[in-house]
Amino acid sequence: MPIKQIGCCGAYCKTCHPFKDGACIGCKPGYDTGERDISKAKCKIKICCIKREYNTCADCPEINSCPTINEFYSKNGYKYGKYKQATQFIKENGYIEFLNIADNWTNAYGKYK
Ligand code: SF4
Ligand code: SF4
């Protein structure tokens, strides 16, 4: 379940403000149970990642060359670089290490040791 709370792009839904406030149910829950329909999703990253049955884009061998995720990561805004850092961290250290750190964040991204 905790891995489900990591958005496909690397945003950590569990510590994200709209999720904590109940305004957002998170990136991934509901698609595997039929409560949500992936064909109605707007985010191209999520559509691709969920259809390929990855936990996040960190599992994808094409992440470094993928235009979909890299256009997103190169947008203006601090958070996009932090989401990139999240998938890079997961690739290098795995999900358990990531969750050990990210569970202490107060936002959808945060500091690493
Ligand atoms: S931007 Fe897309 S992939 Fe990232 S958390 Fe939001 S819906 Fe999920
Ligand atoms: S192709 Fe791109 S968007 Fe799709 S799973 Fe891989 S990195 Fe994510």
Side-chain angles (χ1 to χ4, degrees), residues 6-11 13 26-28 43-46 69 72 83:
I6 309 169
C8 294
C9 64
C13 298
C27 177
K28 295 185 304 198
C43 174
K44 284 193 288 180
I45 302 165
K46 170 156 80 174
I69 194 87
F72 178 77
Y83 298 157

Side-chain angles (χ1 to χ4, degrees), residues 45 48-49 52 54 57 60 62-63 66 68-69:
I45 302 165
C48 181
C49 180
R52 291 176 182 221
Y54 294 139
C57 290
C60 179
E62 295 163 38
I63 189 168
C66 168
T68 307
I69 194 87

Side-chain angles (χ1 to χ4, degrees), residues 40-96:
K40 296 199 171 99
K42 293 195 178 85
C43 174
K44 284 193 288 180
I45 302 165
K46 170 156 80 174
I47 293 167
C48 181
C49 180
I50 287 183
K51 284 191 173 168
R52 291 176 182 221
E53 299 185 351
Y54 294 139
N55 287 311
T56 71
C57 290
D59 300 342
C60 179
E62 295 163 38
I63 189 168
N64 291 335
S65 59
C66 168
T68 307
I69 194 87
N70 286 298
E71 277 165 24
F72 178 77
Y73 286 156
S74 63
K75 282 183 173 184
N76 269 331
Y78 182 71
K79 66 181 182 181
Y80 301 106
K82 293 300 287 183
Y83 298 157
K84 180 176 184 177
Q85 188 181 19
T87 50
Q88 283 177 332
F89 185 93
I90 292 165
K91 266 166 67 94
E92 287 165 20
N93 302 282
Y95 286 101
I96 303 297

